[in-house]
Amino acid sequence: MYRYDSIDQQIIDERVAQYRDQIARHLAGDLSTDELRPLRLQNGLYIQRHGPMLRIAIPYGMLAATQLRKLAEISQRYDRGVGHFTTRQNMQLNWPQLEQTPAILGELARVEMHAVQTSGNCIRNITTDQFAGVAPDELTDPRPYCELLRQWSTFHPEFAFLPRKFKIAVNAAATDRAVIRAHDIGLELLRDEGGEIGVRIFVGGGLGRTPILGKVIREFLPRRHLLSYLEAILRVYNRYGRRDNMYKARIKILVQALGIDDFRRQVEAEWAHLKDGPTTVPDTEFARIAAHFAPPAWENLPAVDELHAARVAGDLAFANWVRRCVHPHRTPGYAAVTLSLKAPGAAPGDISDTQMLVVADLADRFSFGELRVTHEQNVVLADVRLRDLHEVWQIARRHRLATANIGLLTDIICCPGGDLCALANARSVPIADAVNEKFDDLDYLFDIGDISLNISGCMNSCGHHHVANIGILGVDKNDEEWYQITVGGQQGNAAAIGKVIGPSFHAHEVPLVIEALVTVYVEQRLPSERFIDTLQRVGIEPFKARAYAGRDRRRGARQENREVVNV
Amino acid sequence: MSERIIRKQEIVDDPWQVLRLTSGESAETVPLPAGPVLLPLAVWLARRDEALRRYEQPGVWLDSDEGPEMLADDCRRFAVIGINFPKFTDGRGYSSARLLRERYHYAGEIRAIGDVLQDQLFLMQRCGIDAYAVRADKDIEQALAGLRAFSENYQAAADQPLPLFRRRAKHAA
Ligand code: HEM
Ligand code: SF4
């Protein structure tokens, strides 16, 4: 993975000093609360329901074992021994003290980490495929591009105070695992007929209260122009994006208002001045960064490992785990492993300090000392030998990291919700718990198969509910927690925004509704159809009908539905 | 009347006034004060010839929703162009400054006015702003430190024509 040189390190050290000074000036009364707010947000510090929350950057999800150990240590010393992985591949600490945050950032800088631009109206952490560099369906490793973008966006002087936050995701594989069309800019790496690598650029995607999928602004841009073209997009957005209304300030609203063609025209006019300037990226720079992501020293192994095959044949529990949590690798004899942070009863995405240490050790012993955070809030060991899988599984299992549910109904993406987040309308973790209780039979979960269920505690959509097959959104009605259900959302190449099925439900109804939706699928599916396929074939009506059937016998049927957001 | 501002890296006394239209005043009729003065863009556009006769060294300021293209080739006439930051979180002025320097090749002074605070000075400097009318209630001596926040940068900008990756390559060569 990318290692800092002395300049990268110096920039991060200077950032820590700058932040320490800002906090000191704030505590001395020289920097007001309002003046500090955007500054601390650009260092990942929110003030939440119970006090500060610190969001630590994990650039494009890559972590070294030593870095994860440092996170474990920090969570012990400065927090409550638990971290939360987010859909943007970052880590949140929920209980730090404001006065201690400079010390935390100082500790992070010692392992080449920081909290730069994890919040605020600036370019945020770049995200990508968790299987980057090992996926068999990959055109090229997206991480050098992400790192190039990380450096370019770090303290970009022109774009530190954009109208609103700005999120960029990169995909380089046949299957999009980075939800690129739900981002302000989505980049898809491609090769043209001449073999040159370039990008297809999507712009104006985003979730939040107005979910929109990104539109193509450029079908193919040679990679050397990437930064100058993004600079043109950002400049047009910085100058003309709305600043009068926070809810209309994302680039998606500007693109929608102008129309993609007019927006493109403006960007191209701006780019005409920037094209071929000094920000054009030479091949040597791509090569310099790519060298950091050179494949680890994979051994020459046979594609089939007899011992592994025998263990799979002999142990159903292990076989189940392999089926759901082990993924193909481009190198014979290796696999990628997802360690599930979705054990029943655990808050999705939460990882304890002990688990962090265990994962760090697993990475050191079995995966070249590196790991990745997924936007589905799990952890990946990317380079495990097939013959080691059994041992990895046994260790992971002892620490509740081996629930065989990746891609299944209980692999829930879930925001912190009302338990921690000051913006929440409703809690989300208890809903995840309730779904887990209702679906506690692994055989049934396997039978239901691939499905996504995501939960957000309010329409900010941190839990990606819009792009889930079944989405759950917390809404507040007279201080009671209600939940609106959407179906038909998808991530990946066929990304789609889910549709609201009707009036919202009371918390206690939610597991029953999920059960009803799943039952319709099980009854109506054709062989090999996934939930989403059946839904697309038979339409939303049977699902809707079952979800509301007999509802008046349950508590509190509701007709009116003010909070429908994605109309 | 003079005011203390930061110019380049120093605190200096400065005679320029900023004319701001109050409600009820119009660009067409507002009396032009004795110079040196930064005129609102609307006044400049409405009374360009009069201003050129009146001031040996004209000055103008752009609000955050006013781009440098509205001055275009005229910009070379100004000794000082102000860029107003109505709120320090309004980042449009950074683009305006870069455009003035990098597209219109304006070489005179660009002065940040309005909600100008220590923690934005570094960014402003990178975008080509070289004078800073720090908000009056702030300690300008303390603010000066803001210009030295970082000793190296990744991007090309008005202060540094080459991005770090072009300079790194040179280091290695
Ligand atoms: C607890 C503290 C958090 C706060 C205060 C917060 C705040 C927000 C806000 C205000 C938005 C809406 C922005 C907009 O629509 O312009 C948003 C969106 C989002 N947040 Fe969070 N968030 C928090 C935690 C998280 C977590 C834990 C995750 C990951 C699980 C996350 C990931 C996202 C994502 C993916 C979006 C949607 C991006 C989009 O609109 O395109 N956030 N957040
Ligand atoms: S979706 Fe809403 S409740 Fe959940 S973390 Fe985001 S802002 Fe908080």
Side-chain angles (χ1 to χ4, degrees):
Chain A
M1 62 190 274
Y2 187 79
R3 305 318 302 252
Y4 286 3
D5 69 6
S6 59
I7 302 176
D8 298 310
Q9 186 66 48
Q10 178 188 329
I11 290 173
I12 288 306
D13 291 343
E14 286 170 347
R15 175 57 154 198
V16 176
Q18 182 191 41
Y19 177 75
R20 181 173 286 126
D21 178 57
Q22 287 165 348
I23 296 295
R25 279 186 281 133
H26 172 64
L27 295 174
D30 292 339
L31 198 58
S32 74
T33 303
D34 285 345
E35 288 160 4
L36 177 69
R37 184 178 303 113
L39 307 180
R40 66 166 161 77
L41 287 174
Q42 299 215 0
N43 266 304
L45 189 69
Y46 282 79
I47 305 295
Q48 281 304 301
R49 189 149 285 188
H50 303 282
M53 177 276 276
L54 182 67
R55 187 181 289 154
I56 297 166
I58 302 177
Y60 37 95
M62 285 297 298
L63 268 180
T66 46
Q67 294 176 321
L68 187 57
R69 283 199 189 90
K70 176 59 86 178
L71 292 173
E73 183 196 319
I74 288 173
S75 79
Q76 278 163 3
R77 263 181 68 191
Y78 300 98
D79 207 89
R80 297 191 183 171
V82 57
H84 175 77
F85 286 124
T86 76
T87 40
R88 307 216 64 262
Q89 302 180 305
N90 293 317
M91 177 178 275
Q92 294 188 173
L93 297 179
N94 282 305
W95 313 96
Q97 300 297 313
L98 173 76
E99 295 77 5
Q100 293 188 324
T101 49
I104 298 176
L105 295 187
E107 295 271 352
L108 289 172
R110 292 168 58 181
V111 293
E112 303 179 11
M113 293 187 79
H114 56 75
V116 172
Q117 290 168 214
T118 53
S119 182
N121 296 333
C122 51
I123 303 171
R124 304 284 193 90
N125 186 31
I126 316 293
T127 54
T128 192
D129 183 1
Q130 67 267 31
F131 300 123
V134 305
D137 67 339
E138 172 173 282
L139 167 83
T140 183
D141 190 336
R143 292 171 299 173
Y145 298 82
C146 295
E147 177 59 26
L148 182 78
L149 291 170
R150 184 192 74 81
Q151 297 189 15
W152 163 76
S153 59
T154 297
F155 312 137
H156 197 298
E158 188 178 346
F159 306 132
F161 293 96
L162 296 168
R164 200 72 183 83
K165 59 169 148 181
F166 204 91
K167 302 179 177 184
I168 303 177
V170 185
N171 169 50
T175 301
D176 170 23
R177 284 176 286 265
V179 222
I180 58 172
R181 291 188 65 200
H183 288 76
D184 298 277
I185 289 182
L187 299 173
E188 184 180 356
L189 290 162
L190 304 167
R191 219 182 264 283
D192 71 359
E193 308 87 68
E196 182 176 14
I197 294 184
V199 274
R200 176 181 290 144
I201 304 182
F202 294 88
V203 69
L207 299 174
R209 63 180 68 209
T210 321
I212 298 180
L213 295 175
K215 296 176 185 63
V216 174
I217 182 167
R218 259 269 169 170
E219 278 295 345
F220 185 86
L221 180 81
R223 67 177 187 176
R224 66 181 180 280
H225 297 309
L226 179 59
L227 299 184
S228 60
Y229 200 86
L230 293 198
E231 223 153 87
I233 295 178
L234 265 298
R235 182 171 286 168
V236 170
Y237 170 55
N238 188 41
R239 300 188 70 197
Y240 304 113
R242 284 183 64 172
R243 290 175 186 265
D244 59 327
N245 179 342
M246 189 176 91
Y247 300 116
K248 298 198 188 306
R250 295 282 295 272
I251 195 173
K252 61 192 173 186
I253 305 294
L254 179 65
V255 173
Q256 204 179 37
L258 292 172
I260 183 68
D261 293 323
D262 199 23
F263 181 76
R264 179 185 301 112
R265 199 185 45 66
Q266 292 196 27
V267 169
E268 295 276 337
E270 180 59 41
W271 187 53
H273 296 280
L274 304 176
K275 183 172 186 279
D276 296 322
T279 293
T280 309
V281 188
D283 282 345
T284 49
E285 176 64 4
F286 282 109
R288 182 189 80 87
I289 300 181
H292 288 270
F293 299 96
W298 293 319
E299 295 166 40
N300 271 322
L301 297 172
V304 177
D305 185 278
E306 303 295 344
L307 193 56
H308 171 65
R311 285 168 179 152
V312 169
D315 184 340
L316 182 63
F318 178 57
N320 280 340
W321 180 75
V322 169
R323 212 169 121 198
R324 296 311 315 189
C325 302
V326 173
H327 319 273
H329 193 288
R330 64 183 237 217
T331 312
Y334 283 87
V337 168
T338 304
L339 300 172
S340 172
L341 297 178
K342 313 293 176 67
D350 273 13
I351 182 166
S352 71
D353 49 354
T354 318
Q355 285 176 321
M356 290 186 229
L357 294 176
V358 169
V359 173
D361 285 346
L362 284 172
D364 271 341
R365 277 186 65 197
F366 301 106
S367 198
F368 300 95
E370 291 180 2
L371 52 122
R372 295 102 184 275
V373 179
T374 79
H375 85 265
E376 288 98 347
Q377 304 174 288
N378 295 306
V379 178
V380 163
L381 301 173
D383 302 281
V384 182
R385 290 185 303 198
L386 293 177
R387 86 167 71 108
D388 293 333
L389 286 172
H390 194 259
E391 197 176 349
V392 169
W393 173 65
Q394 285 179 319
I395 298 169
R397 200 157 63 139
R398 282 203 288 281
H399 297 276
R400 306 198 76 216
L401 293 165
T403 311
N405 62 352
I406 298 307
L408 299 180
L409 186 69
T410 53
D411 184 11
I412 298 171
I413 296 180
C414 182
C415 79
D419 295 306
L420 293 165
C421 176
L423 303 175
N425 286 326
R427 287 171 304 161
S428 38
V429 176
I431 298 295
D433 280 345
V435 172
N436 258 296
E437 266 167 44
K438 187 99 216 156
F439 294 88
D440 61 352
D441 177 359
L442 195 61
D443 290 336
Y444 189 45
L445 285 174
F446 268 72
D447 181 46
I448 299 164
D450 288 326
I451 188 169
S452 55
L453 187 154
N454 299 351
I455 310 174
S456 302
C458 75
M459 51 284 243
N460 287 328
S461 318
C462 300
H464 277 185
H465 69 278
H466 294 299
V467 289
N469 298 168
I470 301 177
I472 303 179
L473 165 67
V475 292
D476 175 29
K477 311 257 189 193
N478 315 320
D479 285 338
E480 284 190 77
E481 295 174 306
W482 291 80
Y483 297 88
Q484 185 182 73
I485 310 280
T486 51
V487 296
Q490 273 194 90
Q491 48 177 0
N493 305 47
I497 306 289
K499 294 203 170 48
V500 177
I501 64 171
S504 50
F505 296 93
H506 198 266
H508 78 278
E509 297 177 283
V510 173
L512 303 171
V513 174
I514 306 305
E515 187 179 44
L517 297 173
V518 167
T519 306
V520 175
Y521 157 65
V522 170
E523 287 170 6
Q524 306 224 8
R525 68 182 163 188
L526 300 175
S528 88
E529 256 184 0
R530 299 166 303 162
F531 177 89
I532 189 73
D533 304 321
T534 306
L535 176 71
Q536 283 170 354
R537 181 174 52 80
V538 307
I540 191 174
E541 284 309 323
F543 291 89
K544 216 163 153 168
R546 190 73 62 92
Y548 291 94
R551 187 157 185 241
D552 43 359
R553 274 177 274 118
R554 303 203 293 265
R555 196 192 136 197
R558 302 186 57 89
Q559 298 312 313
E560 141 270 10
N561 189 14
R562 280 173 290 134
E563 248 111 352
V564 174
V565 290
N566 53 345
V567 283
Chain B
M1 269 213 300
S2 77
E3 193 194 352
R4 294 210 313 154
I5 65 161
I6 299 174
R7 176 177 294 128
K8 309 280 183 197
Q9 308 280 335
E10 278 172 356
I11 298 170
V12 295
D13 282 321
D14 177 88
W16 286 80
Q17 307 294 308
V18 178
L19 177 66
R20 291 178 185 268
L21 296 181
T22 54
S23 61
E25 283 178 339
S26 85
E28 287 72 21
T29 58
V30 67
L32 296 188
V37 61
L38 298 179
L39 301 174
L41 176 69
V43 173
W44 167 256
L45 293 177
R47 294 154 74 182
R48 187 170 170 278
D49 293 337
E50 184 187 348
L52 284 173
R53 279 195 307 274
R54 170 101 203 238
Y55 305 113
E56 204 173 309
Q57 288 201 310
V60 71
W61 63 272
L62 300 173
D63 212 341
S64 62
D65 60 351
E66 298 168 338
E69 49 281 318
M70 306 182 92
L71 299 173
D73 289 341
D74 264 355
C75 74
R76 279 157 225 215
R77 296 177 179 276
F78 301 108
V80 177
I81 298 179
I83 292 183
N84 188 43
F85 290 82
K87 282 190 301 210
F88 75 92
T89 49
D90 182 340
R92 286 174 282 191
Y94 298 102
S95 290
S96 297
R98 282 195 74 179
L99 287 169
L100 274 174
R101 290 285 187 230
E102 296 168 58
R103 184 142 323 148
Y104 298 101
H105 307 291
Y106 171 68
E109 176 176 309
I110 303 181
R111 180 179 307 187
I113 61 174
D115 198 13
V116 179
L117 303 174
Q118 169 174 346
D119 295 284
Q120 283 72 53
L121 298 190
F122 188 80
L123 304 169
M124 291 177 176
Q125 167 179 266
R126 294 223 59 211
C127 290
I129 294 173
D130 55 358
Y132 317 86
V134 175
R135 213 175 70 195
D137 62 322
K138 293 288 179 183
D139 179 345
I140 194 166
E141 315 273 349
Q142 193 179 45
L144 203 50
L147 289 170
R148 296 187 296 268
F150 294 94
S151 48
E152 190 49 281
N153 304 288
Y154 289 112
Q155 315 77 8
D159 64 332
Q160 168 52 267
L162 296 179
L164 182 60
F165 58 73
R166 290 190 181 269
R167 290 176 287 120
R168 250 182 191 146
K170 277 190 192 126
H171 282 303

